[in-house]
Amino acid sequence: FEEGRKLLAANDAKGACEKFDEAIKLDPEAPGTMLNLGLCNEKLKKYRTALYWFRKAQARAAETNLPEYEEAAKQHTVT
């Protein structure tokens, strides 16, 4: 997850998505990883995949009472 965040910050969306794909396999219910999968796919212009992950992150964040993640994901689904 941390490696993915560093790659995303360095504008390596492809590399970041690969790391987040690994992370989601380790913890398939992690809203932060879902949110980051949305972000890296959005940067790769894979909008359908990005929307899928943003919606999953929003729902999971709501279930686990993480309003900041929920709001961040929501911002990407309404624009």
Side-chain angles (χ1 to χ4, degrees):
F1 179 85
E2 290 301 322
E3 290 176 23
R5 292 290 301 153
K6 288 177 185 173
L7 290 168
L8 197 56
N11 270 339
D12 181 359
K14 185 176 184 292
C17 275
E18 291 170 3
K19 293 296 181 183
F20 293 128
D21 280 336
E22 291 176 26
I24 202 72
K25 289 175 187 168
L26 298 173
D27 186 358
E29 299 297 316
T33 305
M34 293 174 190
L35 181 59
N36 282 291
L37 277 163
L39 292 170
C40 66
N41 277 289
E42 184 178 60
K43 288 184 181 253
L44 293 172
K45 298 187 183 338
K46 295 181 178 180
Y47 299 116
R48 181 177 291 167
T49 303
L51 186 58
Y52 167 82
W53 284 114
F54 288 136
R55 287 182 175 159
K56 277 190 69 98
Q58 185 178 355
R60 185 66 184 142
E63 292 169 0
T64 56
N65 196 27
L66 293 167
E68 64 281 355
Y69 284 33
E70 184 180 1
E71 183 60 30
K74 184 179 179 182
Q75 292 300 314
H76 288 272
T77 61
V78 296
T79 55

